Amino acid sequence: MSSADALLPLLIAAPIVMAAVPIALGLWTDRTGWWVAALATIGLFGATASLASAVAETGRVVHVLGGWGEPQGIGIELVADPFSAVIALLVTLTAAGLLMYTRTGGPRGNTFYAGYLLLVGGLLGISLTGDVFNLFVFLEITGLATYAMISSGDGPESAVAALKYLILGTVGASLYLIGVGFLFMATGALNMEVLGAEAIPAILEAGGRDLTLLRAAFAFVFVGFALKVAQWPLHTWQPDAYQHAPDGITPLIAALVSTAYAYALGRVMFTVFGVEFLTTTPYLQEIVVAVGAVSVVAGSALAVLQQDVKRMFAYSSVSQFGLVVAAYGALTETALVGAVVHLVGHGVMKAGLFVAVGIVAISYDARTVDEYAGLADDRPFLAGPIALLLAALVGIPPAAGFVGKWYIALGAVEAELWPVAGVILFSTMLTLAYSARLLEKMYFTPAPSVESPGERGVATDGGNGDPGILMESNRFRRGSPDDVSIGMLAALAGAVALAILLGFAGGLFFEWLEPFTSEVFY
């Protein structure tokens, strides 16, 4: 067993096992959870970087759990390839970086950091599993940790949002599991590589009853993931979850959870079912593209209507993930690379935006678009990063948002899916609309003024000596900028820098993903 091979099970097992450490230490002190999570996630990032280096050299790293690979198609494998490695890097880097926010911004407590590590373990399991049933197991681990973390917010709204997510998330996972059952009935295999390379091509050639089972399996799997990825009209859990989750948790789930689900959908579509199945099944490509395109438009339009900033960005995520699903449906190499770039870029941008939203809420208790009025005058160092991230989200070059959309549009043109290219342009205009609302409030709308109830003075009014009332900014009488730490600002600055740097990495993504895309399309 090589060292890179051994890293695969450790990357998944270590955070899950370490999740018990903060709880155990909580018997003595409640102040160790952050340090345990920080050490664990930094170590995980280093291990993931080492694994990615091995993938760059060999193209693929495989670990067969227990050495049990027989009978073929049932033995459990963990697999790192260019597609999974880039998602694993995103998970570990984001998880480590966001701890700079939670150190001061919260939530705090050993139980929170236990859930944090459990969530990271589930996300890494989704990224690295090579087995469709174990993918379900990691979907459930991720879901359970996410439900608990959302419900930890103050007030009944958080509990209701978590309950809605739990119910709909369970339905999505159940639909996926039914699809896996049909897949196993048709093929007798669960291993992704065996399914994609041997079992499903044989069924496509033979046809008959097993082909019907295969199509039913894809239908259940796709609908289950459409719910998990929050595609319209199955998106209703996401705005409530993002809005009512604690501010320190929203960046994590917005950047990583739906990203991992969208990755899993792409993995199952291209590695398991394959391009031949997707192109030969009547109307399947059209359905996938339509679901993604409708979600793009609906999510953007709903985002324009929102006043709560977190809710606005939640609907924005519905739109952005719809773009990824539409790119999957294009079935071209360029569109698939664009989808991966957009997944990574969107994760970074939303992590930064929700960190910024948390900082504004801590500083000024501002949560609606109108309450951001005058932010640029009061805190230009905070308004600036928000403006840059919004520009990246719109798709202004050279940021990550532009590169991902550009490749997806090119891929759609290659596939002669002209409506998708039009949808991208239209959604970009809608994204500009809701981004411009926030920018206008921050930079061009003065902060409202109210009477200061505790401060009165004497002022001249037109020189007549009448008593006047000193006015002060209404921004924002609760919260304090002093509560913002250097670490929180560093996390925000890091997200901005990475979102811009990724805009120059389009060619690197093509080169990095070439072994995977060659296997899928050629």
Side-chain angles (χ1 to χ4, degrees):
M1 181 188 299
S2 67
S3 58
D5 184 356
L7 284 175
L8 282 166
L10 287 175
L11 279 171
I12 299 171
I16 294 176
V17 173
M18 289 292 287
V21 175
I23 296 177
L25 294 177
L27 297 173
W28 293 276
T29 176
D30 198 43
R31 297 180 177 274
T32 56
W34 187 89
W35 291 103
V36 172
L39 291 174
T41 52
I42 291 171
L44 288 170
F45 175 69
T48 307
S50 176
L51 180 64
S53 177
V55 169
E57 294 178 3
T58 63
R60 182 182 172 92
V61 177
V62 179
H63 178 88
V64 180
L65 289 177
W68 186 61
E70 298 292 341
Q72 191 177 41
I74 298 179
I76 300 172
E77 287 185 348
L78 301 175
V79 180
D81 65 4
F83 192 13
S84 61
V86 73
I87 301 300
L89 280 170
L90 175 67
V91 168
T92 53
L93 177 61
T94 304
L98 288 178
L99 287 174
M100 291 191 290
Y101 177 94
T102 63
R103 175 66 172 167
T104 301
R108 300 182 180 89
N110 287 357
T111 54
F112 163 71
Y113 290 109
Y116 195 97
L117 290 172
L118 186 64
L119 178 58
V120 171
L123 292 169
L124 287 172
I126 291 173
S127 305
L128 299 173
T129 186
D131 178 278
V132 290
F133 178 76
N134 282 276
L135 177 57
F136 165 76
V137 174
F138 291 120
L139 288 173
E140 286 296 276
I141 292 174
T142 299
L144 290 172
T146 307
Y147 309 148
M149 296 178 78
I150 292 172
S151 67
S152 65
D154 296 330
E157 296 86 357
S158 297
V160 172
L163 179 61
K164 181 187 290 188
Y165 188 11
L166 184 149
I167 293 171
L168 295 178
T170 301
V171 171
S174 300
L175 291 172
Y176 171 79
L177 185 60
I178 292 171
V180 170
F182 280 130
L183 193 60
F184 186 72
M185 289 171 62
T187 64
L190 296 171
N191 182 279
M192 291 182 180
E193 184 179 7
V194 172
L195 286 166
E198 302 174 18
I200 290 179
I203 291 175
L204 292 176
E205 184 176 350
R209 168 181 170 274
D210 287 342
L211 181 57
T212 302
L213 285 173
L214 198 60
R215 290 172 176 173
F218 182 85
F220 278 99
V221 167
F222 181 74
V223 174
F225 273 124
L227 205 159
K228 286 283 193 181
V229 181
Q231 293 298 276
W232 189 91
L234 305 175
H235 67 285
T236 54
W237 62 267
Q238 185 164 277
D240 289 341
Y242 285 17
Q243 180 182 5
H244 299 301
D247 291 333
I249 291 173
T250 307
L252 186 70
I253 61 175
L256 300 181
V257 174
S258 290
T259 298
Y261 294 157
Y263 156 81
L265 173 61
R267 172 63 73 185
V268 171
M269 284 181 63
F270 291 103
T271 300
V272 176
F273 288 95
V275 173
E276 183 181 359
F277 171 82
L278 299 173
T279 54
T280 57
T281 301
Y283 305 111
L284 190 151
Q285 183 181 15
E286 290 84 353
I287 291 171
V288 173
V289 170
V291 169
V294 170
S295 297
V296 170
V297 176
S300 297
L302 289 168
V304 172
L305 302 176
Q306 304 307 308
Q307 272 297 321
D308 186 275
V309 177
K310 289 177 75 174
R311 199 170 184 87
M312 181 177 73
F313 289 147
Y315 280 111
S316 168
S317 292
V318 174
S319 172
Q320 303 302 321
F321 285 117
L323 196 58
V324 171
V325 173
Y328 287 161
L331 302 180
T332 65
E333 180 181 4
T334 304
L336 180 56
V337 173
V340 178
V341 174
H342 204 63
L343 271 180
V344 176
H346 175 264
V348 172
M349 290 184 289
K350 282 297 166 65
L353 284 170
F354 279 111
V355 164
V357 168
I359 293 174
V360 173
I362 288 173
S363 302
Y364 307 114
D365 196 39
R367 296 192 176 275
T368 67
V369 173
D370 290 340
E371 290 174 338
Y372 275 59
L375 180 64
D377 293 332
D378 198 50
R379 288 292 184 272
F381 64 86
L382 184 54
I386 295 175
L388 290 173
L389 288 169
L390 287 172
L393 190 65
V394 171
I396 296 175
F402 168 76
V403 177
K405 290 182 179 181
W406 177 254
Y407 284 145
I408 293 172
L410 287 180
V413 171
E414 290 174 5
E416 298 184 356
L417 295 172
W418 308 106
V420 173
V423 164
I424 293 173
L425 177 61
F426 181 61
S427 72
T428 299
M429 296 299 100
L430 290 175
T431 304
L432 178 61
Y434 62 77
S435 298
R437 286 178 61 214
L438 198 57
L439 290 171
E440 189 272 335
K441 289 294 181 182
M442 290 193 302
Y443 281 92
F444 303 108
T445 301
S449 298
V450 297
E451 178 182 337
S452 176
E455 295 184 22
R456 294 178 178 269
V458 177
T460 60
D461 183 9
N464 60 9
D466 293 339
I469 300 174
L470 291 179
M471 310 296 285
E472 69 176 1
S473 172
N474 191 31
R475 310 178 35 74
F476 295 90
R477 286 172 290 177
R478 291 172 291 177
S480 169
D482 295 334
D483 294 333
V484 178
S485 69
I486 297 297
M488 297 165 75
L489 296 175
L492 177 58
V496 173
L498 194 54
I500 295 173
L501 289 174
L502 286 171
F504 296 95
L508 293 177
F509 271 94
F510 258 101
E511 182 179 350
W512 173 260
L513 292 169
E514 194 275 333
F516 173 72
T517 55
S518 297
E519 182 180 328
V520 168
F521 291 103
Y522 304 109

